[in-house]
Amino acid sequence: MARVLLVDDDPAILEVLRIYLSREGHTLLEASDGEQALALAAQADVLILDLMLPKRSGWEVAQILRLEQPDLPILMLTARGEEQDRLQGLDLGAEDYVVKPFSPREVVARVRVLLRRRGLRDHLRFGDLELRPKKRLAYLGGEPLSLSKLEFNLLLTLAQHPGLVWSRERLLERVWGSDYPGIDRVVDVHMVALRKKLGDDAENPRYLETVRGVGYRFKEEG
Amino acid sequence: MARVLLVDDDPAILEVLRIYLSREGHTLLEASDGEQALALAAQADVLILDLMLPKRSGWEVAQILRLEQPDLPILMLTARGEEQDRLQGLDLGAEDYVVKPFSPREVVARVRVLLRRRGLRDHLRFGDLELRPKKRLAYLGGEPLSLSKLEFNLLLTLAQHPGLVWSRERLLERVWGSDYPGIDRVVDVHMVALRKKLGDDAENPRYLETVRGVGYRFKEEG
DNA sequence: GCTGCCTTTCACTCAATCTTCACGACCCTC
DNA sequence: GAGGGTCGTGAAGATTGAGTGAAAGGCAGC
C-alpha cells in the first residue's frame, strides 16, 4: 500500500502500530526522535507523529515538513488534555490527530482516510509524458527529458494535481520555498523553458496551460 | 465564509456552536432531527451531524447524503465510548468526527480544515451548468466554457448562493475588491457577457436573473 | 580561474480583458 | 403619456497580463 513513517519514542507504541499497519499492507519506516523523523520523511507517504519527542518536538517536525513537503499527510498523536496543541497542529497543516490512548484500529482507519484523500502515486503518465517522482526522471514519448531541478519540481507540482490552478505565488511558495524574495515572473520564464522542452505551445498547450489573471495549471486529460 | 448545517437535538449544543461558528463568519442552518437535516442538506457547504437523532439517526442521514451529495463534508458528533460508531462513521465516508463533550473551538478548527480541504465545495451543478471552483473550469452541457477571470469569479459568487440577490455594490465589493473605485454599471456589462456565454436571455433567464432596482441573482433550481 | 549550465531580471510586444460611455428600451409613478 | 429611473447592449479606448529573447549573475566542477 503506502510507506508509513511512524515516529514515537515509546517502543510499545511503535510495536503495536507496526503490527496493525503492516497487517494493513503498509511498508513501515520508524523513527524515535525528531531528527530521525526529518531524515526519513522524504521517503514517506504518510507520517504518524508523536508530539512529545526527543531532539525536536513533533511540532517542529511538522512545521519544517510543512514547508518541505506540503503534501505529506500528517497524523498527530497527542496526549489527552493537549487541546491547545491539537488546535495549533491543525492550523499548522497537520491533517488529523488522534488522542492517546488510542485504539490501533482507529489509527489504521485514519491512515486509510488520509491516503484515500491524497490519491498517491509514484508514476504519472499523461499521454506522451511520463514522470517518475522518486527517480526524478521525465520521459516524453519514451525519450528521457533533460530537466533542471527547478523545472522538474515545477512540472511535478503541477502534474500531481491535474486541472488545479496554481497562482504564481503558490508556485513560488511550493517550488522555490516560502521565503523566496524574487519576483513572480520567474515562474513565467521557467514555464517557457518547460514548454519548449515538452514541445508545448503556449497558445494551444497539451500540458501546461495558462489561466490568465490567475496562474497556471496542468491540463487535465480529455 | 460557508453555510454550515448544524444538526443536533440538544438546544444547548446548537446554541454554543451557533455562537462560535457565526463568529467565524459562517452562515448557519439548523435542524434538530434527521428529516429536517435531509431537507436542508442541499443548501449546506458543511454538515455537523449528531449521531443520536429523532426520526432518523445521524447514520442514516450520513448514508443517504453520501449518495446524494458525495461532496458534502460531514463532521460527526459522537458520544464517548462509541468507538465502534466512529470507525463505522469514517468508513461510511464521513470526513471527520469529534467526541462529546467537545470544545467548540475544536469544532470550529475542524470545520475550517474540512472547508479548506474542499475548497468550499469543489463541484457545483445546475442543470446544464457545472462549475469547478478549484480548477476554475465551467462547463455548459459538458462543453468547457471560456470565461475570463472576472467572469468566472462573478458567476461563481452568484452560483454559490442560488436564490440570493446581490446588489451591484455587494458584487463590486466581493468580486472586484472592496476598494474598487469605478462605477457599478460594470457589473451589467459583465453580466451581459456572461449571459451571452451561458446562452442565457435577459428576458427569460435560466441562470442569471435581474432583480430590477436591486441587483442580480443566480436562479434557484426548479 | 575558467567553463558551462542554471537561474533571475528586464524590456518589449501583442493580445486579452476591463471600463466607460452612449443610446435606446422598458418600467413605474403621477 | 410624460418623466425619471433602471437596465441591456454595442463599441471605443484604456489597462493589464503573459510570451519571449537577451543579458547578467551564480554556482559547481574541472
Side-chain angles (χ1 to χ4, degrees), chain A:
Chain A
M1 287 287 305
R3 281 155 301 186
V4 180
L5 173 53
L6 190 50
V7 188
D8 202 305
D9 56 335
D10 179 346
I13 289 183
L14 286 184
E15 183 175 357
V16 69
L17 287 181
R18 183 189 311 134
I19 292 170
Y20 275 84
L21 288 167
S22 57
R23 186 181 298 162
E24 181 80 0
H26 300 304
T27 306
L28 285 193
L29 306 163
E30 297 180 15
S32 54
D33 66 54
E35 294 292 352
Q36 290 176 28
L38 287 174
L40 289 172
Q43 302 171 47
D45 294 321
V46 192
L47 173 57
I48 300 179
L49 183 65
D50 186 27
L51 273 188
M52 300 289 288
L53 286 176
K55 305 231 174 135
R56 283 176 183 277
S57 75
W59 264 45
E60 279 184 88
V61 173
Q63 213 157 1
I64 292 167
L65 289 178
R66 180 69 205 272
L67 299 176
E68 291 181 359
Q69 301 178 56
D71 264 355
L72 181 66
I74 301 177
L75 174 62
M76 299 203 304
L77 306 179
T78 75
R80 204 174 286 291
E82 289 174 348
E83 189 206 315
Q84 200 55 32
D85 290 358
R86 293 196 248 161
L87 291 174
Q88 293 200 21
L90 284 178
D91 272 345
L92 239 167
E95 294 290 325
D96 209 341
Y97 63 81
V98 167
V99 178
K100 290 183 185 178
F102 50 78
S103 122
R105 293 174 50 219
E106 180 178 351
V107 172
V108 168
R110 287 201 178 272
V111 165
R112 197 183 303 144
V113 169
L114 289 174
L115 285 173
R116 192 192 308 150
R117 200 173 280 150
R118 294 288 181 173
L120 293 174
R121 281 174 298 172
D122 197 35
H123 197 154
L124 303 172
R125 181 189 291 274
F126 308 90
D128 258 7
L129 180 65
E130 208 183 323
L131 296 180
R132 312 227 175 168
K134 269 284 159 64
K135 300 183 172 177
R136 303 191 62 80
L137 289 175
Y139 302 88
L140 186 65
E143 294 299 303
L145 278 177
S146 156
L147 301 180
S148 76
K149 175 182 164 193
L150 199 55
E151 286 162 0
F152 189 85
N153 289 344
L154 184 55
L155 179 57
L156 183 60
T157 298
L158 292 164
Q160 275 176 336
H161 307 271
L164 197 73
V165 182
W166 292 74
S167 69
R168 291 174 175 71
E169 214 173 53
R170 289 228 303 139
L171 284 172
L172 285 181
E173 210 172 284
R174 169 85 173 240
V175 177
W176 276 257
S178 59
D179 49 351
Y180 181 75
I183 60 176
D184 60 4
R185 295 300 307 277
V186 227
V187 177
D188 300 41
V189 176
H190 288 282
M191 226 51 149
V192 169
L194 265 179
R195 279 175 172 154
K196 194 169 283 175
K197 291 184 180 180
L198 294 177
D200 224 6
D201 174 22
E203 300 293 315
N204 196 6
R206 262 186 312 168
Y207 304 115
L208 301 175
E209 200 171 3
T210 302
V211 182
R212 187 170 225 275
V214 187
Y216 294 94
R217 85 170 132 224
F218 194 92
K219 214 169 169 180
E220 233 162 349
E221 316 248 15

Side-chain angles (χ1 to χ4, degrees), chain B residues 81-93:
Chain B
E82 291 174 349
E83 192 207 314
Q84 200 53 33
D85 290 358
R86 292 198 246 163
L87 291 175
Q88 292 200 20
L90 283 178
D91 272 344
L92 238 166

